[in-house]
Amino acid sequence: MIDFYYSPTPNGWKVGIMLEECELDYELHRLHLAKGEQFDDAYLAISPNAKMPAIVDHDVDGEPVSVFESGAILIYLAQKTGRFMPTDGRGHKEMLEWMFWQVGNQGPIAGQLSHFVNYAPAGQDYGLRRYKGEYERNLAVLENRLQGREYILGDYSIADMIAFPWAFIAKPLTVSLQDFPNVAAWRGRIKTRPAVIRAIDLCKGEQNLGEHNAENNALLFNQGADHLRGK
């Protein structure tokens, strides 16, 4: 059994997709970030960064294993199950490249764009332009990679699972995929997979879509060191 600490966001979807694709038994623990549950000591022992998602794997020899950060979780689960990850040297190298591209580029940029589209105070035009441009630049990187390929590594893998959620919500982020036909086709192939549908439907309707914003909830926004130091 795997404890899956989750909030209904693209980052949570990534891990949910892998759990569903591998048909792993898991127990969902819905954490409410707007209430500050991510700062509870018990959760910080699992995820020192106080972010979603995280897992605790009880199906191991010895003490349960906790894993935080979506990229690390996907690689851990791929190694655990022997699925959705290349085993040859070149394929493994490319998998690492595209996983690091996602966690270092596409994911953070898309998250910042989401902030300026959905939560930032009005008038943040520079931030919106900056992150929309970078989001589109990352779409171009993905568009080029998918030329002549159905999936990022050729076969469907964790590289697709981790990159898909932020491309899935391009329209709500005010970006059209019209100029990115390879990405649009790739997105279409993935979103119809039964495991992907089940993962996205977890806690459907419970996303924070503007109810909490940078002006009314300091637990979610404008954080500093004191949030993790108990002050």
Side-chain angles (χ1 to χ4, degrees):
M1 176 64 71
I2 292 175
D3 289 320
F4 177 26
Y5 294 87
Y6 174 83
S7 62
T9 65
N11 287 331
W13 294 342
K14 301 170 188 175
V15 174
I17 289 170
M18 183 61 168
L19 291 169
E20 290 287 344
E21 291 281 12
C22 293
E23 300 181 314
L24 292 168
D25 291 329
Y26 66 90
E27 182 175 352
L28 190 69
H29 300 268
R30 168 78 165 94
L31 265 67
H32 294 84
L33 307 185
K35 297 178 182 179
E37 293 177 353
Q38 68 273 32
F39 298 114
D40 290 348
D41 288 342
Y43 185 68
L44 286 174
I46 297 167
S47 178
N49 197 30
K51 301 288 185 180
M52 300 289 121
I55 64 168
V56 178
D57 185 4
H58 297 272
D59 184 23
V60 295
D61 294 331
E63 293 294 316
V65 173
S66 63
V67 191
F68 73 103
E69 294 297 323
S70 57
I73 296 169
L74 288 176
I75 292 173
Y76 173 84
L77 293 175
Q79 292 174 333
K80 176 184 176 71
T81 61
R83 300 186 65 189
F84 301 113
M85 184 171 70
T87 56
D88 65 286
R90 183 179 297 273
H92 189 80
K93 183 273 296 185
E94 291 187 350
M95 178 275 295
L96 289 175
E97 289 173 333
W98 287 99
M99 294 293 285
F100 276 89
W101 167 77
Q102 199 285 325
V103 300
N105 288 274
Q106 186 219 31
I109 291 299
Q112 293 300 323
L113 176 57
S114 176
H115 175 79
F116 283 100
V117 169
N118 295 303
Y119 310 116
Q124 304 290 319
D125 294 338
Y126 172 78
L128 184 59
R129 289 196 307 273
R130 157 74 175 167
Y131 289 107
K132 185 176 181 180
E134 281 294 304
Y135 178 81
E136 291 173 340
R137 189 191 70 80
N138 276 284
L139 284 175
V141 172
L142 188 54
E143 176 73 13
N144 292 341
R145 175 63 182 181
L146 290 168
Q147 183 66 38
R149 296 181 177 88
E150 290 196 346
Y151 299 103
I152 292 173
L153 300 181
D155 295 326
Y156 181 60
S157 73
I158 56 173
D160 302 291
M161 297 179 203
I162 201 169
F164 166 77
W166 285 114
F168 177 64
I169 61 168
K171 185 176 180 180
L173 294 180
T174 71
V175 175
S176 170
L177 295 182
Q178 182 175 351
D179 293 333
F180 307 99
N182 294 331
V183 175
W186 167 83
R187 175 186 180 276
R189 282 189 287 273
I190 296 174
K191 75 174 185 178
T192 59
R193 295 178 67 91
V196 173
I197 294 170
R198 291 194 299 270
I200 290 174
D201 282 347
L202 290 172
C203 303
K204 189 174 183 178
E206 293 186 30
Q207 281 185 283
N208 167 36
L209 297 176
E211 176 184 355
H212 302 282
N213 57 49
E215 295 176 307
N216 68 19
N217 194 320
L219 285 171
L220 281 176
F221 306 103
N222 304 314
Q223 293 184 20
D226 288 348
H227 284 76
L228 288 173
R229 298 173 67 191
K231 297 182 180 180

